[in-house]
Amino acid sequence: MSQNRMLGSKVLDMLQHLGLIIVAVATVAAVGIEIGHMWQARTVTLADLLLMFIYLEVLAMVAIYLRSGKLPIRIPLYIAIVALARYLILDMKGMDSWRLITVAGAALVLAIAILVIRYGHVKYPYDKDDGGH
């Protein structure tokens, strides 16, 4: 590998880590803000808990990526399912039937995608040399 390519690769790796640190710090700040809202309201709702769970999943995703250098595709899918559930909980009363069915259907499609991906990993595991890419 040439010197320029190695330097470029190192710079991109550093920028990627910087971006991940920014995401982690912003997520921790968002958790703090959410805790402040719950404290002021003196109540904790299911929507609050689901939002906190989304934040925890984002932090877990960053940690996994920093540890392994890989991003399991299932984690963003889990986050999307929780986000759809939170959306349903918050806006269910104002939704018409078709929107409700559509959002629930989207969550179902994501859940099926996770099952398919999981089945594929069990049935057709990656080669050790491939590294999962």
Side-chain angles (χ1 to χ4, degrees), residues 7-23 65-66:
L7 179 62
S9 178
K10 285 183 180 184
V11 168
L12 288 176
D13 284 344
M14 287 176 29
L15 289 173
Q16 187 175 16
H17 280 85
L18 178 63
L20 288 169
I21 290 168
I22 290 169
V23 168
Y65 193 81
L66 286 173

Side-chain angles (χ1 to χ4, degrees), residues 21-128:
I21 290 168
I22 290 169
V23 168
V25 168
T27 304
V28 169
V31 167
I33 291 168
E34 183 62 24
I35 290 171
H37 286 259
M38 289 186 295
W39 185 265
Q40 285 180 337
R42 298 197 190 284
T43 185
V44 178
T45 66
L46 183 56
D48 295 329
L49 294 175
L50 289 172
L51 185 58
M52 297 290 280
F53 184 71
I54 290 170
Y55 292 148
L56 289 174
E57 285 294 319
V58 169
L59 287 174
M61 187 170 56
V62 169
I64 288 170
Y65 193 81
L66 286 173
R67 229 184 341 250
S68 69
K70 300 175 194 166
L71 178 62
I73 189 62
R74 290 187 320 238
I75 293 177
L77 295 176
Y78 294 143
I79 293 170
I81 290 171
V82 174
L84 288 170
R86 185 175 185 276
Y87 175 63
L88 281 174
I89 290 167
L90 288 177
D91 297 334
M92 187 180 298
K93 291 179 184 173
M95 284 187 193
D96 62 32
S97 298
W98 285 110
R99 177 166 290 200
L100 185 69
I101 290 169
T102 303
V103 174
L108 179 62
V109 167
L110 289 171
I112 291 169
I114 291 169
L115 286 174
V116 168
I117 291 168
R118 185 69 186 122
Y119 175 78
H121 285 180
V122 169
K123 186 77 172 163
Y124 307 103
Y126 293 118
D127 294 335
K128 295 210 187 298

